[in-house]
Amino acid sequence: MRSNLIAALILIIVGLFFLAKNLGWINGNIGTMLATWWPAILVAVGIAMLFGRGK
């Protein structure tokens, strides 16, 4: 169940990235985005793990 949730979240994030790029909201490539936003990704994963423990 947990792996399905993580896979779904990854697909949503990747889809939102490509949608924003196609709409012209962001410029650049995924490498630049990851280099900039990796701390936020770590925080989001940590929060997801924190809330996932209660289940």
Side-chain angles (χ1 to χ4, degrees), residues 30-46:
I30 197 160
T32 304
M33 292 289 290
L34 286 176
T36 302
W37 290 99
W38 69 267
I41 294 169
L42 289 178
V43 170
V45 170

Side-chain angles (χ1 to χ4, degrees), residues 13-30:
I13 290 169
V14 170
L16 288 173
F17 169 76
F18 284 118
L19 176 65
K21 188 170 181 168
N22 285 339
L23 292 173
W25 294 347
I26 59 171
N27 295 323
N29 60 16
I30 197 160

